[in-house]
Amino acid sequence: MRRPVLLVDDHRVLADSLALSLDLQPDLCCAAVAHTARDGLSMAAAIPYAVAVVDLQLPDADGLDVVARLHEARPAAPIVVLTAHPKADLAQRALAAGAAAFLGKDLGLADILAAIRSADPARPQVQPGLRPSPVALTHRELDVLRQLSQGRDASRTASTLGISLNTARGHIKSVLAKLGVQTQLDAVVAAERLGLITVGSRY
Amino acid sequence: MRAVLVRSLSVAVALALLMSVTVWRLADRDAGRFAEQLARRVATALLVPMAAQSFQQPGGFDRAVLLDRLQPFLAGGVVERVKVLAVRGDRATVVFSDEPRAEGLAEGLGRPSVAGVPRDASHRYERSLAGSAKEVFFPFRDAHGQASRLELYVPVDTARPTIVVVLAVLLAGLIVPLIHTRSRRPAFPAGELARRDLARHLHDGVIPELAGARMLVDNLRDAGDADLARAGVTRGELADRLHTVLSSEIGQLRTLLTELVPPEPVGVHLPSAVDGLVDRLRPASALVITTSVPVLPGLPAAVAPVLLSVAGELLRNAIRHASATAVHIAVTAAAGRIRLTVADDGIGFDPHAPVPAGHVGLRLVRDLLREHGGVLAVAPSSGAGATLTATWVMPRPTRCSILPGRLQLCGRNSWLKMRATRASSSACTCGSSSSARKRACCR
């Protein structure tokens, strides 16, 4: 019995190659390939699958939301996150959202297949060697930094995160201090250089 | 930063004051020497007729003859006042002057032979003289052997204006570069936009695609015939897919290279470079991207990569944030201006609204443009698409030939001298003073 795998990834070359690779395995097969979060969620509702492989960077939604919704809809099917941004803090957030594994896209096929085969929410696995952030920011500070990186100012950041304006300003100040910069824009660029966030993405 | 600025300013002011005092002293000494030399020349011409008069006898000297002698010097402004004093003991009394009211006034002796004009009652008629003056004394004996003194008042206007000019120049020289560096300090290093673009492309495009290609290679190596038969593919088909992926990868990297380091002449390749950019960024969705880009043979080499970078960032913004169905990229050149317009029919955004999404990219675009003499204009719109226009004002090109190893005035910027490094003399185009253009001119 081959285990069907659902792929949600907007990167066509990688998704199609992985789909073909799954079909070539004696114990796995590709159930479906979705290039958007919307397609992925509707396919998940319509097609049986044993494991889902989800990219965090999707054109229409936050991949972490997709992970959470798939996990909620079918807790028995483990979710493997496959991302171009293999970062330690992102791994934590993915596992918290219900992922069973967190892997970088540059990992070899054998490792990816092994992770898909052994994915188990009870024993979450994270790609070894993920670099911890060189600057220790709190979860909230990272949230604020991500908002800044999307061009939001303090007041919009506050309303998006559901915190008060003063609290948001406090977080921004502490982010600037920890990164040793003067302006919010410099903070975004410095954080991107350090790999804390990726400008243009939600992470 | 403020602390640094305050500190620098304090140092600048202190330095300027110190140097001013020094310069003031030097200038004062120079003025004294200048006044003495000038006065000596005048005195040489005056002392002979003066010594022929008898100043202490009533009617002993001919006023008209003396005034006649003084007139050329007074009229030419060489001296401003002339006084002859009769010396008795330690007092001297004015017995003749071109200012008759000064006659009869007494003044003390014992001052140096060159001095500033004192502000006392004896010199009340000298206060109205234009500018500042130096008093220069020449003792002589008149026709009766009486001790007399010739006083010449020589204008020395140089000292004070010199100080003011020196002070202003010093302060400006120290402070202007400070302010200049501060205001022109770009928020980011020059290549930030290009770096970001390259990183993003490698990250989101090249690496995942190569990872996909590697999967295909792994399959070619590892898949058994039974697996291939079951999946319905052949090794030949796998190799074909691999070939397609790698070809596309090579094409994309070549496009990226063209954007980063355009081949010259750039303007000739501009349409294809923009088309390549569009192909690279075109999203999977049904977004219609049209371009209208002419061949621009005169496009400066320094502007072309900036134009492509800006076009890429604006297009990326439109794709990501505008929810547009169509984007049009146009480049026009007219009246010494090159204009890049990226217009979309999406949700639009108000540039004055608090920080639109994509703000970071736009800030980088503005910084990059400013660095290369361009400006970004955002046509205000809400709900009816957005039009962003980057404009470069091209310096009017002036032809100048540069001889090897010669310093040559370049065009209208006569202060800008350039050294030709070429082995042979060649024609070059020069215009703006920016270092990028300078390099372009002398390359």
Side-chain angles (χ1 to χ4, degrees), chain A residues 21 84-85 106 151 189 193 199, chain B residues 188 192 196 203 214 219 355:
Chain A
S21 307
H85 308 274
D106 48 358
V189 172
R193 284 234 161 111
V199 172
Chain B
F188 305 101
E192 188 61 36
R196 249 164 41 107
H203 200 269
R214 187 174 59 185
N219 289 324
V355 202

Side-chain angles (χ1 to χ4, degrees), chain B residues 379-408:
Chain B
S381 66
S382 184
T387 302
L388 288 91
T389 306
T391 309
W392 289 263
V393 178
M394 288 298 119
R396 184 171 303 175
T398 43
R399 304 295 293 184
C400 68
S401 62
I402 287 193
L403 299 172
R406 282 278 179 80
L407 279 177
Q408 181 115 3

